[in-house]
């Protein structure tokens, strides 16, 4: 089992920045690909970014160049730095862990409870 706890969400104006953190406990953190997903009201949960144990990253086109995913294996923590935020980035952001990664929610076995990000215009 892997337990994931997100933090760092909040309310920010368009153009602002936030950094989300996800603290992991349980099984060896470095064995997992870590991902960030988000879900806006009335929409399906969508992929945002992922990072492998060695630091290989993937991003959704909608956040490329604005968001940066990183991980600190010594601290069992993954981060999502979000810059140049837009109102359409408003969603609940979820951290997830997978043994093989990918873009689909079904690839991720472990999920956090989510943290709300609201971007005002």
């Amino acid at each position: 089992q892997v337990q994931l706890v997100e933090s760092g969400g909040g309310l920010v104006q368009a153009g602002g920045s936030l950094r989300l953190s996800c603290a992991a406990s349980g099984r060896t953190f470095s064995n997992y690909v870590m991902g960030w997903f988000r879900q806006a009201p009335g929409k399906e949960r969508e992929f945002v970014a992922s990072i492998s144990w060695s630091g290989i990253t993937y991003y959704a086109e909608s956040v490329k160049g604005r968001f940066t995913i990183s991980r600190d294996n010594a601290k069992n923590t993954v981060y999502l730095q979000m810059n140049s935020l837009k109102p359409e980035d408003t969603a609940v952001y979820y951290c997830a862990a997978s043994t093989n990664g990918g873009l689909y929610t079904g690839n991720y076995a472990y999920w956090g409870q989510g943290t709300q990000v609201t971007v005002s215009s």
Side-chain angles (χ1 to χ4, degrees):
Q1 284 281 0
V2 176
Q3 293 77 43
L4 303 171
V5 179
E6 303 98 333
S7 61
L11 173 64
V12 64
Q13 288 189 330
S17 298
L18 281 175
R19 188 175 83 152
L20 305 183
S21 299
C22 173
S25 61
R27 294 188 177 179
T28 306
F29 176 72
S30 59
N31 288 348
Y32 292 90
V33 175
M34 300 301 297
W36 286 97
F37 289 75
R38 66 187 181 186
Q39 188 166 19
K43 295 189 176 181
E44 292 188 353
R45 196 169 296 189
E46 64 175 7
F47 173 81
V48 175
S50 67
I51 185 167
S52 72
W53 67 272
S54 60
I56 297 172
T57 58
Y58 292 96
Y59 295 94
E61 285 297 322
S62 59
V63 306
K64 223 176 255 188
R66 300 188 298 121
F67 290 11
T68 302
I69 188 171
S70 61
R71 67 190 293 165
D72 185 335
N73 289 334
K75 295 183 178 179
N76 288 358
T77 302
V78 62
Y79 305 96
L80 186 68
Q81 178 66 45
M82 304 185 294
N83 299 329
S84 302
L85 283 161
K86 305 175 182 180
E88 51 263 43
D89 294 318
T90 295
V92 177
Y93 283 70
Y94 296 91
C95 173
S98 170
T99 54
N100 51 21
L103 309 180
Y104 303 105
T105 57
N107 289 357
Y108 292 76
Y110 304 103
W111 292 84
Q113 81 289 350
T115 186
Q116 177 71 46
V117 171
T118 303
V119 184
S120 63
S121 56

